[in-house]
Amino acid sequence: MNIVEQILKEKVEHFEEGRVYLNQWEIAKNAVPKVLTTISHYFPHFSLHDESHSIAILNNIVRIIGVDALKELSTVDIWMILVAAYYHDLGMSVTREDIFTFTKENSKFIEHVRLLQKDVHSPLYVYAEVFDIKDDKLYYKQNQLTGETVDAHRFLVADFVRKQHASRSAEKILTDDALHLPGNPIPERIIKMVAKVCDAHTKNRDELMKLPIVESSGCGVEDCHPLYVACLLRIGDLLDVDSNRVSDVLLSTLTSIPLDSKAYNQTNRDITHIRINQSVIELTAECKDYKVGELLNDWFKMINDEITFQTKEWYKIAPNPKFRPLPAVGELTVKLAEYDDITGKEYKIGISN
């Protein structure tokens, strides 16, 4: 049991109205990880998005705001943090119904493949070229089964799904059996709210800030704070950068891998230092490949920009004015062989003389 779960359990020990949230979570905790394991079926070339990713997000949230602040939150806030950490990437799971939909005549997926066939610079162009589109239907160009044709379909599906996975997660939340227990004890309004929180983890900041700052939870006289939960999710997600996110076992099942995925996976392997606490965030990577260094610099810049933005808006975001501010952004450095270091706060890489 992680720290956030333990806090939920303690909160409802003498709070009868809040126990429904613990009961729901205990059911979801058994069900959702099984669904998350299916993500790797179409995303074996990506970093892991299984339960380990959810746990890492929760641990990052604890590190950033501290146990004392978590204990100040309401029962529904804590439940929303748990649900968001586990459900926010559920849209990356591809079901049989999805496959039937994607392969229908004139589907959005077929249009996606058509666009990739026109983009010779896309890393997925070579996989899109495995197919012919005739009468708005998808066909393999050749009948022979090869390593390329085996992997091509799932790489294309993964790319299509990834671009909309946050909204897909929100849709799945609205119909998830584990969130809709018999008698519907959790208000549908709150389920819709946590769906919006998960949807917001990839939205632009203007959309993020449209979430309610305070919402009556319907659980006793408690309030909940959807904007705050969404902001914690975004930071916790961005900070899951450790090297154990790449699975060599999954990669060993592939006959090839898109070039961009290969570079992104190397970014995790090149992380050499992580320090995340209530005072400071520090990250260091040591790279040999220039492209990997650029990707890491872009990622570190996203972290810096997100923390900077939330710090500026913290007076709106934080539920309690007594909460300490977000940690400062310390050194975010990419050490790149034969080049100057990249700070993670700059846009360009300077070549050393």
Side-chain angles (χ1 to χ4, degrees):
M1 181 177 292
N2 63 59
I3 293 172
V4 184
E5 287 179 285
Q6 183 61 43
I7 291 172
L8 178 62
K9 187 174 182 180
E10 291 171 359
K11 279 186 169 293
V12 304
E13 188 173 357
H14 302 293
F15 181 31
E16 187 66 33
E17 287 181 86
R19 287 186 186 175
V20 63
Y21 289 91
L22 177 62
N23 293 340
Q24 185 285 323
W25 173 246
E26 288 176 340
I27 292 171
K29 178 66 186 299
N30 289 322
V32 179
K34 296 173 184 176
V35 180
L36 294 178
T37 61
T38 68
I39 292 175
S40 63
H41 295 176
Y42 277 86
F43 290 84
H45 54 306
F46 270 60
S47 55
L48 291 171
H49 285 76
D50 58 6
E51 186 178 16
S52 67
H53 177 48
S54 304
I55 292 170
I57 289 173
L58 293 174
N59 288 339
N60 286 336
I61 290 172
V62 174
R63 287 178 176 276
I64 289 166
I65 67 170
V67 173
D68 289 342
L70 281 167
K71 289 183 176 180
E72 289 290 323
L73 296 174
S74 69
T75 300
V76 178
D77 281 328
I78 298 298
W79 174 82
M80 289 180 73
I81 290 171
L82 289 167
V83 171
Y86 273 76
Y87 279 81
H88 74 286
D89 282 335
L90 208 62
M92 294 174 70
S93 174
V94 179
T95 66
R96 62 188 177 194
E97 288 79 10
D98 287 328
I99 297 302
F100 289 141
T101 300
F102 296 164
T103 53
K104 282 181 179 178
E105 179 180 340
N106 202 26
S107 71
K108 291 181 180 179
F109 171 68
I110 293 176
E111 179 60 26
H112 180 70
V113 176
R114 181 182 283 113
L115 292 174
L116 287 173
Q117 289 177 337
K118 297 177 182 178
D119 185 2
V120 296
H121 300 294
S122 170
L124 293 172
Y125 172 79
V126 63
Y127 300 105
E129 278 295 286
V130 168
F131 297 93
D132 267 336
I133 299 175
K134 299 176 183 178
D135 300 323
D136 289 319
K137 297 178 183 178
L138 208 59
Y139 297 88
Y140 282 106
K141 283 184 177 178
Q142 58 185 33
N143 293 324
Q144 181 186 0
L145 185 66
T146 66
E148 187 179 58
T149 60
V150 167
D151 291 332
H153 178 254
R154 59 177 166 176
F155 290 160
L156 296 174
V157 168
D159 186 61
F160 178 70
V161 167
R162 180 182 60 83
K163 288 177 168 62
Q164 51 183 316
H165 81 275
S167 59
R168 281 170 52 89
S169 297
E171 290 170 3
K172 288 176 181 286
I173 286 170
L174 296 179
T175 58
D176 184 74
D177 289 340
L179 283 165
H180 296 82
L181 301 180
N184 204 23
I186 293 178
E188 190 67 23
R189 172 177 58 89
I190 299 300
I191 295 172
K192 289 179 179 177
M193 192 58 65
V194 80
K196 291 179 181 178
V197 166
C198 291
D199 194 15
H201 88 275
T202 63
K203 288 284 191 291
N204 64 47
R205 294 179 183 124
D206 288 339
E207 289 298 313
L208 169 71
M209 295 303 292
K210 291 178 182 178
L211 286 170
I213 297 172
V214 182
E215 179 84 9
S216 297
S217 70
C219 184
V221 296
E222 289 187 338
D223 290 329
C224 60
H225 305 86
L227 176 61
Y228 181 66
V229 174
C231 288
L232 294 180
L233 174 64
R234 285 165 69 102
I235 296 176
D237 193 21
L238 280 171
L239 290 176
D240 186 15
V241 297
D242 215 345
S243 56
N244 61 356
R245 288 210 64 194
V246 181
S247 171
D248 290 326
V249 173
L250 289 175
L251 292 176
S252 71
T253 68
L254 300 172
T255 60
S256 65
I257 183 172
L259 291 178
D260 60 337
S261 293
K262 186 176 182 180
Y264 274 111
N265 285 337
Q266 189 60 42
T267 62
N268 292 94
R269 293 190 177 98
D270 287 350
I271 297 291
T272 58
H273 168 66
I274 297 175
R275 181 186 178 196
I276 301 170
N277 58 39
Q278 292 174 260
S279 299
V280 69
I281 294 171
E282 294 176 354
L283 299 168
T284 303
E286 297 180 7
C287 309
K288 295 180 180 179
D289 185 274
Y290 187 89
K291 177 62 176 176
V292 174
E294 281 190 309
L295 290 172
L296 272 164
N297 189 52
D298 289 343
W299 194 268
F300 286 0
K301 185 180 180 303
M302 283 195 293
I303 292 171
N304 178 68
D305 289 351
E306 186 67 28
I307 295 290
T308 300
F309 169 77
Q310 290 196 27
T311 297
K312 180 182 176 182
E313 301 292 333
W314 196 241
Y315 72 101
K316 300 177 186 175
I317 295 169
N320 190 326
K322 296 186 297 182
F323 283 9
R324 63 183 297 160
L326 289 171
V329 179
E331 292 295 325
L332 304 177
T333 303
V334 180
K335 298 181 181 296
L336 187 58
E338 301 181 5
Y339 294 87
D340 290 341
D341 293 349
I342 312 169
T343 68
K345 301 179 184 179
E346 297 176 355
Y347 290 90
K348 298 180 180 179
I349 302 172
I351 302 175
S352 59
N353 296 320

